[in-house]
Amino acid sequence: MENRNYILAIVLSLGILVAWQYVYVGPQMEAERERLEAQQAATAAGDPTSPITVDETAPGAPVAGGLPAVAPLERGAVIASSERIAIETSHITGSISLTGARLDDIHLEEYRETLDEDSDTVVLFSPSGSADPFYAEFGWAQGGGGAATLPDASTVWQVEGNDTLTPSSPVTLVWENEQGLIFRRTIAVDDDYMFTIRQEVENTSDAGVLLYPYGLVARHGEPPTSRLFILHEGMIGWFGGDDGLAEVDYGDIRDDGSQQFRDVSGGWLGITDKYWAAALIPSGLDAYRGEFRVDQIASGESFVSAYLGGGFEIAAGASVAIENNLFAGAKEVAIVDGYEASLGVERFELLIDWGWFYFLTKPMFFGIKWLFGIFGNFGVAILLITVAIKLVFLPLANKSYASMSKMKKVQPQLKEIQERYKDDKPELQKQMMALYQKEKINPVAGCWPVLIQIPVFFALYKVLFVTIEMRHAPFFGWIQDLSAADPTSIFNLFGLLPYDPTLVPLIGPLLGLGIWPILMGLTMFVQMKLNPQPTDPTQAMIFTWMPIIFTFMLATFPAGLVIYWTWNNFLSIIQQAAIMKRHGVKIELMDNLRAMIGKKPDKQPAE
């Protein structure tokens, strides 16, 4: 049947995508994790990522670090080795090193590494010399062949006034190069994750100087990533015009080389993780040049997002000041959208990877968030948003299920026609179409419930996978994190046996078969039994095994998505069974269940 073939093609395509994660992506992630661990073991202490040098036409090549590779130090030891000023806000804590004036120590106080309340807080920035250096740096590059000494990563700044950075008290750092140039850097922070950096240069010498402001975020070594096609992690920026949104993976920048974006006005750029990001906002510049690159340093690689502003000619006795912003924190939707509105940061919302179904994903998130505000549980919100979606598409779904009920009702006649004309394909198609016309059946109508569910499925998957609001969000019982897979497994009797079956080599991911995936498989089986059954033996076999295959595949998906699918199946079963009964279609599955418990089957309604 054409409609069954169509549905089968769609569902199997989804199955192939999911299976790809098991067969290919999973082993690659493991190999990549081993590579990264080896790389981190060789990370050097003190490796500098150099600022952009200026050739007055484009951001130039950096100077590679020449320090010998040594074992990385403990993060705390690196921080303790330099004089620092503290950062204290309700969202973040950390410090700024007076050596280099880098923002290189940031903890996200509201987020922990695991569900354990005693787990360490998430570390966003770490200093050079630690195991995972990640930091932001601002400064000046020199043009016009000048020879002035400029502050760099080794410059020791002095604190002028307040020595603790809070939302109500900025800090000012000062350094003089003994050639008549005085550099001041005032750093402010709001109650969330936005830093404001004001750079000022006062020229007390008797000669002018040409300086170019720059900013960069740098990460030494490639971090572990999800490596899934639905999520971007790496260099990111919005450059407007023809460039628009630029997303470059770590592997791509390594293979293809640096990417440059010239004559940019507005926008932003940085490095993003799944839930966290560091983004530069060159808000005080009329135009700048953006760059994504990978530097070769003593310890390996440093991935850099950087901008270079236009030149400032600072005459003798004059001064110049610019003000830029740095976002460094969690990608909370309300906060990110708020900065786009309050600071006028163009398309800053795209820092969160809403995906292809943006027009569905973001409204779905807001709907779930609104329901969460009422009921206080994201799992309940998912169940209710599913009901809302079902109500929106109720008329279309009713027509589809009615058509499928009619299809199921004429199954005996279809089998008779197929048997009679099995050797005459043209006549077979002619007789089938004649039967459809006689019974007023639209074979394609049965595809709509599946077609509707696919974009909704991916949109909800995206919401659960990328939004930090879903991270560590509990449901009920054993589901304490809707963004993670169901932690139970039938292969250890749901925790009664003292071992973790998912740690079994090679087949471990297939053994994490929890309670919710099993419920999803059962509801999928019941729903498929309500549909018209294929007359072709091969198709019938595929449809029989499909619920089992999907049960294992979805076992590794976020629990919230499996709960949605199970609940959606349950609602569809009720809806379809009611429509079938109204159309006088015998529900054999229900009769079989009644027979198993010793009850008589329902009386078949008169036609």
Side-chain angles (χ1 to χ4, degrees):
M1 309 296 292
E2 289 185 4
N3 67 317
R4 296 197 194 103
N5 290 337
Y6 194 36
I7 295 173
L8 180 62
I10 294 171
V11 177
L12 286 180
S13 297
L14 179 60
I16 289 170
L17 290 175
V18 179
W20 180 256
Q21 307 302 317
Y22 282 101
V23 177
Y24 180 75
V25 176
Q28 275 219 336
M29 288 177 63
E30 185 61 32
E32 183 68 10
R33 191 175 294 109
E34 293 176 358
R35 183 187 73 80
L36 290 171
E37 288 174 355
Q39 173 181 288
Q40 290 170 359
T43 301
D47 270 337
T49 292
S50 301
I52 298 174
T53 58
V54 181
D55 64 6
E56 302 195 27
T57 60
V63 180
L67 299 177
V70 295
L73 300 175
E74 289 291 334
R75 184 173 183 277
V78 176
I79 293 172
S81 66
S82 62
E83 190 174 355
R84 292 176 170 269
I85 54 177
I87 304 173
E88 295 178 1
T89 80
S90 59
H91 281 64
I92 62 176
T93 59
S95 61
I96 302 171
S97 173
L98 293 183
T99 301
R102 282 177 172 171
L103 284 155
D104 62 357
D105 174 33
I106 289 181
H107 293 253
L108 306 182
E109 288 298 307
E110 295 184 328
Y111 297 97
R112 298 192 176 276
E113 294 288 350
T114 68
L115 286 168
D116 188 347
E117 293 183 357
D118 296 327
S119 173
D120 293 336
T121 55
V122 169
V123 174
L124 179 66
F125 280 172
S126 287
S128 182
S130 62
D132 302 293
F134 188 20
Y135 51 83
E137 180 178 302
F138 297 86
W140 300 89
Q142 191 167 190
T149 301
L150 303 180
D152 58 21
S154 61
T155 299
V156 179
W157 294 69
Q158 302 299 314
V159 180
E160 194 173 72
N162 176 56
D163 61 357
T164 300
L165 176 59
T166 70
S168 60
S169 58
V171 296
T172 299
L173 308 180
V174 62
W175 180 76
E176 186 173 355
N177 72 349
E178 299 182 354
Q179 296 169 318
L181 294 181
I182 302 173
F183 297 86
R184 281 186 175 82
R185 188 170 301 169
T186 301
I187 304 172
V189 65
D190 66 6
D191 287 321
D192 297 315
Y193 305 114
M194 188 65 72
F195 292 85
T196 301
I197 295 91
R198 176 183 171 86
Q199 295 194 87
E200 182 180 358
V201 181
E202 181 182 356
N203 186 2
T204 62
S205 70
D206 55 3
V209 62
L210 177 63
L211 298 181
Y212 295 76
Y214 76 85
L216 63 82
V217 289
R219 166 172 265 156
H220 293 193
E222 181 178 349
T225 61
S226 63
R227 304 186 71 82
L228 296 176
F229 70 96
I230 69 163
L231 175 69
H232 170 69
E233 296 174 87
M235 274 64 74
I236 187 172
W238 174 265
F239 301 103
D242 295 334
D243 293 313
L245 180 68
E247 296 177 319
V248 184
D249 297 336
Y250 294 105
D252 291 339
I253 201 70
R254 180 190 298 115
D255 296 339
D256 301 335
S258 65
Q259 293 192 16
Q260 297 183 359
F261 308 89
R262 299 171 182 270
D263 300 321
V264 182
S265 178
W268 49 273
L269 70 161
I271 297 177
T272 182
D273 294 331
K274 181 177 180 178
Y275 294 123
W276 340 104
L280 304 161
I281 305 171
S283 50
L285 302 175
D286 293 331
Y288 64 91
R289 301 161 187 160
E291 182 178 42
F292 299 151
R293 69 175 192 256
V294 56
D295 295 347
Q296 297 302 316
I297 57 178
S299 62
E301 298 172 324
S302 178
F303 296 92
V304 180
S305 286
Y307 70 81
L308 180 68
F312 287 83
E313 189 76 51
I314 309 173
S319 64
V320 68
I322 62 164
E323 191 171 280
N324 301 147
N325 294 100
L326 167 72
F327 173 88
K331 298 190 295 186
E332 299 177 28
V333 176
I335 290 177
V336 171
D337 287 356
Y339 287 137
E340 179 171 338
S342 62
L343 299 180
V345 187
E346 187 179 8
R347 302 308 302 273
F348 198 53
E349 63 174 345
L350 296 181
L351 187 61
I352 300 171
D353 188 359
W354 293 109
W356 300 332
F357 295 105
Y358 173 93
F359 59 94
L360 284 176
T361 307
K362 198 165 184 181
M364 182 175 289
F365 167 80
F366 284 125
I368 293 173
K369 188 72 181 294
W370 179 74
L371 289 169
F372 170 77
I374 297 174
F375 297 96
N377 187 293
F378 275 113
V380 172
I382 290 171
L383 299 183
L384 293 176
I385 204 74
T386 307
V387 174
I389 293 169
K390 297 290 284 186
L391 291 175
V392 169
F393 293 106
L394 185 63
L396 182 60
N398 281 344
K399 288 183 179 180
S400 298
Y401 289 137
S403 179
M404 294 172 70
S405 295
K406 293 178 181 179
M407 285 281 293
K408 191 173 181 69
K409 195 172 182 178
V410 300
Q411 283 289 100
Q413 295 167 263
L414 283 173
K415 289 182 180 179
E416 183 180 341
I417 291 172
Q418 289 172 332
E419 183 64 30
R420 183 181 303 172
Y421 300 103
K422 61 182 178 182
D423 297 325
D424 188 349
K425 297 297 182 183
E427 185 63 23
L428 173 62
Q429 293 296 323
K430 180 180 177 180
Q431 292 296 326
M432 289 171 61
M433 292 307 298
L435 179 61
Y436 293 153
Q437 290 175 359
K438 176 185 175 183
E439 301 293 337
K440 297 180 180 180
I441 297 173
N442 180 6
V444 181
C447 299
W448 283 110
V450 176
L451 291 175
I452 292 169
Q453 188 167 330
I454 286 176
V456 173
F457 172 87
F458 276 115
L460 182 58
Y461 186 15
K462 196 77 171 177
V463 169
L464 288 165
F465 195 76
V466 307
T467 56
I468 194 170
E469 288 79 359
M470 300 296 169
R471 180 180 185 265
H472 294 174
F475 182 43
F476 295 114
W478 64 95
I479 302 297
Q480 294 299 309
D481 185 357
L482 287 166
S483 67
D486 187 326
T488 60
S489 174
I490 193 174
F491 295 100
N492 65 0
L493 300 182
F494 307 114
L496 293 177
L497 300 179
Y499 69 91
D500 184 356
T502 62
L503 300 180
V504 176
L506 298 179
I507 63 171
L510 295 174
L511 302 181
L513 190 58
I515 296 173
W516 275 105
I518 292 173
L519 292 175
M520 187 282 303
L522 291 174
T523 56
M524 187 177 183
F525 173 79
V526 172
Q527 188 178 16
M528 295 190 72
K529 284 299 181 182
L530 293 179
N531 294 338
Q533 298 304 300
T535 54
D536 178 73
T538 303
Q539 287 189 18
M541 181 186 68
I542 292 173
F543 271 61
T544 299
W545 281 95
M546 193 173 295
I548 299 174
I549 295 170
F550 267 64
T551 297
F552 279 93
M553 280 204 252
L554 266 69
T556 60
F557 276 51
L561 191 68
V562 181
I563 292 170
Y564 155 76
W565 194 299
T566 306
W567 178 237
N568 184 71
N569 286 349
F570 178 73
L571 295 177
S572 298
I573 289 168
I574 295 175
Q575 183 181 6
Q576 190 170 353
I579 292 173
M580 289 175 67
K581 192 169 184 178
R582 191 169 69 232
H583 283 80
V585 180
K586 186 177 182 181
I587 305 176
E588 297 175 357
L589 177 64
M590 300 303 176
D591 287 346
N592 292 338
L593 291 175
R594 287 188 178 92
M596 290 173 62
I597 61 176
K599 289 187 177 182
K600 294 182 179 180
D602 281 347
K603 185 178 179 180
Q604 181 70 9
E607 297 186 18

